[in-house]
Amino acid sequence: MSETGFECALPEVAADDDPLGGAVGAAVRSRFHVTDGPVRTVDRVWLDTFDWRLHAAGLRLAYTVGDGAHSLVLGPGAGESVQRLSAPVHWPSLVEDLPEGPLRERLRPVAGIRALLPIADTRSTIHELRILNAEEKTVVRARVERSASSPPRLSLVPVRGYARQAERVATLVAAVPEVAPGSGSDLDAALATAGRRPGGEAGPTAIQLRPGQGSADALARLLLGLLDVVEANVPGTIADWDTEFLHDLRVAVRRTRSALKLAGDALPEGVAKRFAPEFKWLGDLTTPMRDLDTLLLDFDQLTGELVEADAADLDAFRAHLQRHRAGERRRLVRGLRSARFGKLARAWRAELTEMLSPSAGEAPESGPANAEITSDDGPANAAALAATRLRRAWRRVVRLGASIAVDAPPQTLHDLRKRCKELRYVLELFGSLYPAGARRPLVKELKVLQDCLGAFQDAEVHRDVVRLHAVAMMDAPAASAATMLAMGELVARLGRRQRRAARESVTRFERFATPRNERRIAIATETP
Amino acid sequence: MRIFATYSIKGGTGKTSTAVNLAYLASRAGDRTLLWDLDPQAAATFLFRIKPRVKGGAKALVNRATSAADAIKGTDFEGLDLLPADFTYRNLDLVFDRAKRSRERLGRLLAPLAGEYDTVVLDCPPSVSLVSENVLRAANTLVVPLIPTTLSLRTFDQLTEFVQRSEPPRPAVVAFFSMVDRRKRLHRDLVEGLPGRRTGILPVSVPAAAVVERMAVERAPVPVFAARSPLARSYESLWETISQGPPAVSECSLEG
């Protein structure tokens, strides 16, 4: 039995009979004492982040309501921890907003800034039992759980230090022929009933393209995947459950725009030209709120760096930003609920669906699978599209990067950042067509460069935001001299950060634009 | 990880009962809790039906031949584990003395458990010894059960002086009245008058009650089998007070 316990489905037995079920009960009682514990009905709201971070970390979190008490239970098995709550919690909720305690501390590094969302509701009857050794010491905690959605399940959780005896109990149970070992929690059953898959959808970067696939078909599949991401993140952005919904929505929009820009010629004529302005509108719609989000997320760290001013001097500025964010959010929500956005999503989906090849996406006329066949109508197949666009994106990065310097105008570094993003999107979206040995190190090194360029750009944007709001706050009655001085220091700190990031970006670019990476690009784009 | 130690120079003041009940209440509040029974008499270990045995004894534990984590046993109560007593703990002073950094050994044994537990309660044997010095360096808070008598107060003075003289880091020291018999006038006077006049003595008193003896019969903390008893409520009140962070007490002098 593992440290986290043993779980199995039990044969169906009437609840008033032996809670362990006749055969299982008899097997356990042949060697151990079993004491009956309480029976309770528990309503659970199962929680996870939108991107299933708890599931990925092997955790299950439930908000339980029973006997008038509210608790959070983080499991599974022996590592289970329970936090009783003094008041009900409304979901979704950020981990930061949960009551202080060890459970919140365990959740914090896993969930991060993502909200905990309800993913399923269940109602169960739980019968607690204890399995005792000859000294009447509990060596295993047993729990028989019954619910409408799944067969009765037995969980055995070994008490620490009694693994050997717990192993014996598990062996006795597993030897009963009617027992079906395996986990399959109430959560799994509830998710299966609701038609949801733990872990969520794989996303567009996991789409497996084939080299001989038609280029329009391949691109349409990727773009449909991106549209799915945009649409999936709209409700969370509108409700403002956490800031990552807007971030992920923006990334999907940017990827779409980059794909249209770099590979739009693979689509039927006029399509890219028609939709590109609409996706630009969507991207621009989301920018002001994201700029405020990044500043507010970074606020504590920034105020922690202040030397002259006190962090509290910026409280009024933070409150001002939050008020401003509320206004920007209203504007964003209007945009996402507008007829223009609805029409864009519908028309884009219809257009892309029409491009899908009925014959599973093979190029209409078969030729050498990975050859770079291009014509006036664009690349003939996915391999050719992936190869030509990767080379183009790489060339643009290298060309622009050659002109950057520590004292280059901010726009140059900003443009380089955009080119690097395009290169990254090409590497990720067409990832299944490049050899992993060439692609992975490229992405890894590119990521480091992008982080530096991102830090440069964030500092630039944040400085502009602080300056802009300083002007607005001068007219506000709440703006004190201390706040204004602290904002001045903030601008200076951001300036220092930006200069540091510029230096780092130049160094990182030199380490990225190397003959070795050029060879990697050649390997990724060559015909095998 | 917060470390509380129930400590007293005198024996028979209710240290073990306090340690067991506080540890249980910490786990009931959701803390992952470890109780370390440092007393070779092994009363706390007995209460939880656990064998008073650590593989290799005190020497193996201190020299890390046996890791503290491997010696820990789960109790019958979820979230509450016990590091059992062992009869060789009677020589713990000697074992510490032979080790390097002899005053820091206890803290070093607990340090690797910081990620596993939120609260640790040390049930200490009654003495002033190298074990006590280790406890002073490891614990954040000493919780001192005080029988309301003049002699007990004198002993408490000795303890606070001992703490003040010891090398930093020093724990906060809080006392509460234990085994209070309200039929006795001296008990009533001290319990009612002293906490307001003297820092470090909490306004919490735990009554002398027959129910405490039932712990050994029920093999469980008081709130488990006598949830509504005044004794259970006193321990709950004590836990509530100290778990919110005790007042730092280094100047335990009588005012007026």
Side-chain angles (χ1 to χ4, degrees):
Chain A
M1 183 154 60
S2 74
E3 219 174 84
T4 50
F6 169 90
E7 292 184 8
C8 65
L10 283 179
E12 287 280 358
V13 282
D16 350 338
D17 292 336
D18 181 354
L20 286 173
V24 173
V28 175
R29 286 190 177 87
S30 68
R31 298 286 169 83
F32 293 88
H33 300 289
V34 179
T35 62
D36 222 355
V39 180
R40 56 202 163 88
T41 300
V42 175
D43 288 318
R44 290 197 186 95
V45 177
W46 295 94
L47 301 156
D48 207 329
T49 62
F50 185 68
D51 51 0
W52 299 88
R53 292 183 182 191
L54 272 57
H55 177 267
L59 295 171
R60 291 196 294 239
L61 177 67
Y63 172 63
T64 67
V65 182
D67 303 328
H70 305 82
S71 303
L72 277 172
V73 183
L74 182 63
E80 191 171 90
S81 54
V82 180
Q83 183 166 356
R84 283 173 185 77
L85 303 167
S86 53
V89 177
H90 299 288
W91 307 103
S93 178
L94 292 169
V95 174
E96 284 307 306
D97 296 336
L98 296 179
E100 272 181 43
L103 193 140
R104 188 177 82 170
E105 293 314 307
R106 278 184 74 193
L107 280 174
R108 199 198 295 266
V110 182
I113 56 173
R114 297 243 58 170
L116 297 166
L117 314 173
I119 49 169
D121 295 334
T122 57
R123 168 168 284 196
S124 312
T125 308
I126 296 175
H127 200 136
E128 309 263 7
L129 301 123
R130 288 188 296 135
I131 298 173
L132 316 175
N133 64 11
E135 284 91 41
E136 301 205 353
K137 166 82 185 70
T138 308
V139 290
V140 175
R141 292 194 178 89
R143 183 187 291 168
V144 179
E145 187 161 344
R146 290 185 165 76
S147 69
S149 59
S150 55
R153 282 184 321 283
L154 170 68
S155 327
L156 299 174
V157 180
V159 171
R160 184 172 185 165
Y162 297 90
R164 215 177 300 159
Q165 299 187 51
E167 193 78 49
R168 263 179 240 147
V169 177
T171 307
L172 289 170
V173 173
V176 176
E178 296 91 339
V179 160
S183 59
S185 73
D186 210 13
L187 170 61
D188 297 331
L191 287 174
T193 308
R196 297 189 68 180
R197 198 175 54 180
E201 301 306 320
T205 54
I207 292 176
Q208 289 296 309
L209 301 175
R210 283 166 296 103
Q213 193 169 349
S215 56
D217 177 83
L219 190 56
R221 284 175 201 277
L222 294 173
L223 289 166
L224 273 170
L226 291 169
L227 178 59
D228 288 342
V229 176
V230 169
E231 290 187 326
N233 281 285
V234 166
T237 303
I238 288 178
D240 200 18
W241 289 329
D242 66 46
T243 54
E244 288 298 282
F245 284 99
L246 175 60
H247 174 254
D248 290 353
L249 187 152
R250 276 171 62 76
V251 171
V253 170
R254 258 200 320 258
R255 281 176 164 170
T256 303
R257 292 179 64 195
S258 295
L260 287 177
K261 183 176 163 193
L262 291 168
D265 60 332
L267 300 176
E269 199 181 344
V271 170
K273 202 174 170 188
R274 189 147 46 91
F275 283 95
E278 285 305 281
F279 279 104
K280 181 180 185 315
W281 163 77
L282 185 56
D284 291 348
L285 177 72
T286 60
T287 300
M289 178 136 147
R290 180 62 193 167
D291 286 347
L292 289 164
D293 278 349
T294 53
L295 181 54
L296 284 164
L297 287 169
D298 203 21
F299 209 84
D300 285 335
Q301 198 187 333
L302 273 172
T303 54
E305 289 173 13
L306 293 177
V307 177
E308 293 297 327
D310 194 279
D313 294 340
L314 288 172
D315 286 351
F317 178 46
R318 192 200 295 252
H320 173 85
L321 287 178
Q322 279 160 342
R323 277 196 303 277
H324 192 70
R325 184 184 182 276
E328 286 299 342
R329 188 181 152 223
R330 280 194 292 276
R331 203 178 65 82
L332 173 64
V333 169
R334 271 200 303 277
L336 291 176
R337 284 183 175 152
S338 66
R340 184 175 181 180
F341 176 69
K343 195 175 152 198
L344 165 63
R346 278 192 305 277
W348 187 226
R349 186 173 292 282
E351 193 79 47
L352 293 171
T353 309
E354 208 162 289
M355 291 174 212
L356 298 181
S357 159
S359 57
E362 282 302 329
E365 287 174 21
S366 58
N370 297 323
E372 284 181 27
I373 302 169
T374 53
S375 67
D376 291 345
D377 298 331
N381 61 32
L385 180 68
T388 52
R389 303 316 132 111
L390 180 57
R391 271 201 294 271
R392 186 183 297 170
W394 165 260
R395 271 200 308 270
R396 284 181 178 185
V397 166
V398 173
R399 199 182 308 136
L400 187 57
S403 65
I404 66 157
V406 175
D407 54 356
Q411 190 58 42
T412 312
L413 283 160
H414 182 47
D415 289 343
L416 178 62
R417 186 186 183 210
K418 288 201 277 190
R419 296 298 85 78
C420 284
K421 277 183 176 172
E422 287 166 3
L423 175 61
R424 172 97 171 265
Y425 296 156
V426 172
L427 281 165
E428 287 176 343
L429 289 172
F430 295 106
S432 60
L433 296 172
Y434 306 126
R439 180 177 56 84
R440 282 205 192 113
L442 271 170
V443 171
K444 196 175 162 192
E445 287 181 32
L446 181 56
K447 217 171 153 187
V448 179
L449 172 60
Q450 282 185 282
D451 285 346
C452 296
L453 291 165
F456 177 88
Q457 181 63 16
D458 281 351
E460 170 81 8
V461 169
H462 292 167
R463 229 159 40 142
D464 288 349
V465 172
V466 178
R467 282 198 185 115
L468 186 77
H469 288 282
V471 176
M473 283 178 74
M474 287 289 281
D475 301 329
S480 67
T483 301
M484 286 297 140
L485 286 168
M487 288 170 74
E489 193 185 341
L490 205 57
V491 169
R493 294 256 141 212
L494 286 164
R496 211 166 303 166
R497 255 193 199 191
Q498 198 181 11
R499 285 191 291 280
R500 207 168 44 227
R503 280 196 300 275
E504 187 73 0
S505 297
V506 171
T507 311
R508 288 289 171 187
F509 178 77
E510 283 164 4
R511 285 187 207 165
F512 179 69
T514 57
R516 190 171 60 164
N517 279 341
E518 192 154 15
R519 274 197 302 278
R520 284 177 176 145
I521 294 285
I523 292 167
T525 56
E526 74 189 3
T527 308
Chain B
M1 185 171 76
R2 300 179 300 175
I3 304 177
F4 297 92
T6 58
Y7 185 83
S8 170
I9 297 173
K10 270 166 66 65
T13 57
K15 276 189 309 295
T16 295
S17 306
T18 305
V20 166
N21 284 293
L22 290 183
Y24 169 73
L25 290 167
S27 68
R28 198 178 72 174
D31 283 10
R32 296 167 297 167
T33 306
L34 175 70
L35 171 63
W36 189 353
D37 186 357
L38 285 161
D39 191 338
Q41 291 181 68
T45 305
F46 168 81
L47 282 170
F48 288 112
R49 297 178 195 270
I50 291 169
K51 286 183 183 156
R53 200 174 57 214
V54 172
K55 196 178 169 191
K59 199 173 162 188
L61 199 57
V62 173
N63 297 332
R64 306 202 181 183
T66 298
S67 82
D70 288 344
I72 290 170
K73 300 280 184 187
T75 70
D76 285 11
F77 306 97
E78 290 203 58
L80 175 55
D81 291 344
L82 179 102
L83 185 48
D86 188 280
F87 196 53
T88 58
Y89 284 2
R90 70 190 188 284
N91 301 321
L92 202 50
D93 266 334
L94 293 172
V95 179
F96 279 149
D97 196 34
R98 284 181 197 137
K100 283 181 187 169
R101 295 180 181 270
S102 60
R103 288 176 175 78
E104 295 168 15
R105 302 308 299 186
L106 196 81
R108 284 170 173 244
L109 291 175
L110 285 170
L113 302 172
E116 265 192 89
Y117 294 100
D118 308 303
T119 296
V120 173
V121 179
L122 306 173
D123 181 21
C124 306
S127 65
V128 180
S129 62
L130 193 51
V131 175
S132 323
E133 288 183 64
N134 269 272
V135 168
L136 294 191
R137 292 182 76 86
N140 307 111
T141 307
L142 288 195
V143 183
V144 184
L146 209 60
I147 298 173
T149 64
T150 313
L151 275 179
S152 290
L153 289 171
R154 192 174 160 273
T155 318
F156 182 52
D157 287 342
Q158 289 174 332
L159 172 63
T160 51
E161 275 176 37
F162 177 59
V163 173
Q164 278 166 10
R165 280 202 310 269
S166 64
E167 279 175 37
R170 299 186 196 98
V173 184
V174 289
F176 67 97
F177 286 115
S178 174
M179 301 168 78
V180 175
D181 184 349
R182 289 207 163 258
R183 290 169 304 179
K184 294 179 179 169
R185 187 172 170 182
L186 180 64
H187 280 209
R188 281 203 308 277
D189 288 349
L190 287 173
V191 166
E192 281 156 22
L194 211 54
R197 288 192 293 131
R198 185 170 177 161
T199 49
I201 298 186
L202 303 173
V204 177
S205 63
V206 173
V211 73
V212 80
E213 283 157 23
R214 274 180 56 205
M215 283 173 67
V217 179
E218 302 284 347
R219 310 284 278 269
V222 176
V224 173
F225 61 87
R228 291 181 181 177
S229 65
L231 190 62
R233 296 218 168 116
S234 301
Y235 282 129
E236 282 164 358
S237 162
L238 178 61
W239 171 246
E240 204 170 299
T241 310
I242 65 168
S243 65
Q244 285 165 2
V249 180
S250 6
E251 63 288 347
C252 288
S253 57
L254 273 170
E255 293 163 17

